Amino acid sequence: DGYFYQIVSECLYSSKDLQGIEFIDSYVFNQAEYVRFNSTVGKFVGYTEHGVYNAEAWNKGPELAQELGELERFCKHNAANHYSA
């Protein structure tokens, strides 16, 4: 009954070097990931027909620039917290 939608944002820290940080945004609908942004790849990638359609549109629009900025704003900003834990 109903639908399940979520966005999972995560930072992967491979070393204390800030260049080794990876930002991933996963878009999930009904427990199936349909689009992912990966800062290492540098663009959105779709995994379903709807996801491919969204990824193509988002890679041409302002969504891509926003996601590229999340590595700095979200991951690098919080790196000291991650390493101190």
Side-chain angles (χ1 to χ4, degrees):
D1 296 277
Y3 298 97
F4 177 79
Y5 177 78
Q6 73 179 22
I7 300 171
V8 179
S9 300
E10 60 184 323
C11 300
L12 303 176
Y13 300 92
S14 60
S15 68
K16 288 194 175 192
D17 177 15
L18 292 181
Q19 300 303 321
I21 299 174
E22 182 176 21
F23 174 72
I24 298 174
D25 241 356
S26 299
Y27 294 77
V28 179
F29 182 73
N30 282 351
Q31 300 180 359
E33 182 179 26
Y34 69 98
V35 173
R36 175 183 289 184
F37 173 82
N38 183 319
S39 64
T40 303
V41 176
K43 65 179 183 175
F44 291 95
V45 176
Y47 297 108
T48 65
E49 183 179 346
H50 182 67
V52 169
Y53 173 81
N54 282 339
E56 289 174 357
W58 295 349
N59 284 330
K60 296 175 185 171
E63 295 86 358
L64 182 60
Q66 180 179 348
E67 289 289 334
L68 290 168
E70 292 299 300
L71 179 66
E72 289 289 330
R73 188 192 68 77
F74 184 66
C75 296
K76 291 184 179 180
H77 176 74
N78 291 306
N81 294 335
H82 172 77
Y83 292 127
S84 68

